[in-house]
mmCIF file of all heavy atoms in Angstrom:
data_model
loop_
_atom_site.group_PDB
_atom_site.id
_atom_site.type_symbol
_atom_site.label_atom_id
_atom_site.label_comp_id
_atom_site.label_asym_id
_atom_site.label_seq_id
_atom_site.Cartn_x
_atom_site.Cartn_y
_atom_site.Cartn_z
ATOM 1 N N MET Q 1 -9.351 3.639 6.386
ATOM 2 C CA MET Q 1 -10.659 3.122 6.035
ATOM 3 C C MET Q 1 -11.486 2.826 7.289
ATOM 4 O O MET Q 1 -12.674 3.089 7.316
ATOM 5 C CB MET Q 1 -10.472 1.868 5.174
ATOM 6 C CG MET Q 1 -11.756 1.282 4.696
ATOM 7 S SD MET Q 1 -12.572 2.400 3.549
ATOM 8 C CE MET Q 1 -13.907 1.425 3.037
ATOM 9 N N LEU Q 4 -13.135 5.911 8.664
ATOM 10 C CA LEU Q 4 -14.302 6.319 7.877
ATOM 11 C C LEU Q 4 -15.515 5.485 8.276
ATOM 12 O O LEU Q 4 -16.608 6.017 8.458
ATOM 13 C CB LEU Q 4 -14.026 6.174 6.384
ATOM 14 C CG LEU Q 4 -15.214 6.446 5.455
ATOM 15 C CD1 LEU Q 4 -15.696 7.875 5.613
ATOM 16 C CD2 LEU Q 4 -14.831 6.158 4.027
ATOM 17 N N LEU Q 8 -18.986 6.942 9.854
ATOM 18 C CA LEU Q 8 -20.300 6.710 9.257
ATOM 19 C C LEU Q 8 -21.238 6.025 10.246
ATOM 20 O O LEU Q 8 -22.416 6.357 10.310
ATOM 21 C CB LEU Q 8 -20.162 5.887 7.979
ATOM 22 C CG LEU Q 8 -19.467 6.602 6.819
ATOM 23 C CD1 LEU Q 8 -19.271 5.648 5.658
ATOM 24 C CD2 LEU Q 8 -20.229 7.835 6.391
ATOM 25 N N MET Q 52 -11.830 15.186 3.562
ATOM 26 C CA MET Q 52 -11.062 13.952 3.449
ATOM 27 C C MET Q 52 -9.982 14.098 2.382
ATOM 28 O O MET Q 52 -10.181 14.785 1.389
ATOM 29 C CB MET Q 52 -11.998 12.796 3.093
ATOM 30 C CG MET Q 52 -13.086 12.604 4.125
ATOM 31 S SD MET Q 52 -14.271 11.350 3.682
ATOM 32 C CE MET Q 52 -13.262 9.907 3.725
ATOM 33 N N ILE Q 54 -8.882 11.574 0.686
ATOM 34 C CA ILE Q 54 -9.172 10.598 -0.362
ATOM 35 C C ILE Q 54 -10.640 10.709 -0.733
ATOM 36 O O ILE Q 54 -11.453 11.194 0.052
ATOM 37 C CB ILE Q 54 -8.862 9.156 0.088
ATOM 38 C CG1 ILE Q 54 -9.701 8.787 1.322
ATOM 39 C CG2 ILE Q 54 -7.381 8.965 0.359
ATOM 40 C CD1 ILE Q 54 -9.663 7.333 1.671
ATOM 41 N N ASN Q 55 -10.985 10.273 -1.917
ATOM 42 C CA ASN Q 55 -12.385 10.236 -2.330
ATOM 43 C C ASN Q 55 -12.998 8.918 -1.854
ATOM 44 O O ASN Q 55 -12.494 7.849 -2.196
ATOM 45 C CB ASN Q 55 -12.505 10.341 -3.848
ATOM 46 C CG ASN Q 55 -12.113 11.711 -4.345
ATOM 47 O OD1 ASN Q 55 -12.258 12.688 -3.639
ATOM 48 N ND2 ASN Q 55 -11.627 11.773 -5.563
ATOM 49 N N PRO Q 56 -14.075 8.978 -1.083
ATOM 50 C CA PRO Q 56 -14.699 7.734 -0.634
ATOM 51 C C PRO Q 56 -15.388 7.013 -1.791
ATOM 52 O O PRO Q 56 -15.807 7.629 -2.767
ATOM 53 C CB PRO Q 56 -15.729 8.199 0.399
ATOM 54 C CG PRO Q 56 -16.002 9.612 0.048
ATOM 55 C CD PRO Q 56 -14.768 10.152 -0.589
ATOM 56 N N THR Q 57 -15.475 5.721 -1.683
ATOM 57 C CA THR Q 57 -16.179 4.902 -2.664
ATOM 58 C C THR Q 57 -17.481 4.430 -2.036
ATOM 59 O O THR Q 57 -17.477 3.813 -0.967
ATOM 60 C CB THR Q 57 -15.328 3.677 -3.059
ATOM 61 O OG1 THR Q 57 -14.096 4.144 -3.592
ATOM 62 C CG2 THR Q 57 -16.049 2.826 -4.093
ATOM 63 N N LEU Q 58 -18.592 4.740 -2.689
ATOM 64 C CA LEU Q 58 -19.888 4.295 -2.180
ATOM 65 C C LEU Q 58 -20.186 2.906 -2.730
ATOM 66 O O LEU Q 58 -20.037 2.647 -3.922
ATOM 67 C CB LEU Q 58 -20.986 5.262 -2.606
ATOM 68 C CG LEU Q 58 -20.867 6.680 -2.066
ATOM 69 C CD1 LEU Q 58 -21.983 7.538 -2.628
ATOM 70 C CD2 LEU Q 58 -20.896 6.690 -0.559
ATOM 71 N N ILE Q 59 -20.614 2.021 -1.849
ATOM 72 C CA ILE Q 59 -20.991 0.669 -2.239
ATOM 73 C C ILE Q 59 -22.418 0.457 -1.757
ATOM 74 O O ILE Q 59 -22.711 0.618 -0.573
ATOM 75 C CB ILE Q 59 -20.048 -0.379 -1.617
ATOM 76 C CG1 ILE Q 59 -18.621 -0.114 -2.077
ATOM 77 C CG2 ILE Q 59 -20.504 -1.783 -1.978
ATOM 78 C CD1 ILE Q 59 -17.586 -0.968 -1.397
ATOM 79 N N TYR Q 60 -23.305 0.133 -2.683
ATOM 80 C CA TYR Q 60 -24.713 -0.057 -2.348
ATOM 81 C C TYR Q 60 -25.046 -1.543 -2.278
ATOM 82 O O TYR Q 60 -24.519 -2.336 -3.036
ATOM 83 C CB TYR Q 60 -25.614 0.583 -3.406
ATOM 84 C CG TYR Q 60 -25.414 2.064 -3.547
ATOM 85 C CD1 TYR Q 60 -24.776 2.599 -4.659
ATOM 86 C CD2 TYR Q 60 -25.866 2.927 -2.559
ATOM 87 C CE1 TYR Q 60 -24.596 3.967 -4.783
ATOM 88 C CE2 TYR Q 60 -25.689 4.293 -2.678
ATOM 89 C CZ TYR Q 60 -25.059 4.799 -3.786
ATOM 90 O OH TYR Q 60 -24.879 6.144 -3.913
#
Side-chain angles (χ1 to χ4, degrees):
M1 183 66 174
L4 175 62
L8 292 175
M52 301 175 66
I54 60 169
N55 291 331
T57 301
L58 297 177
I59 300 173
Y60 299 108

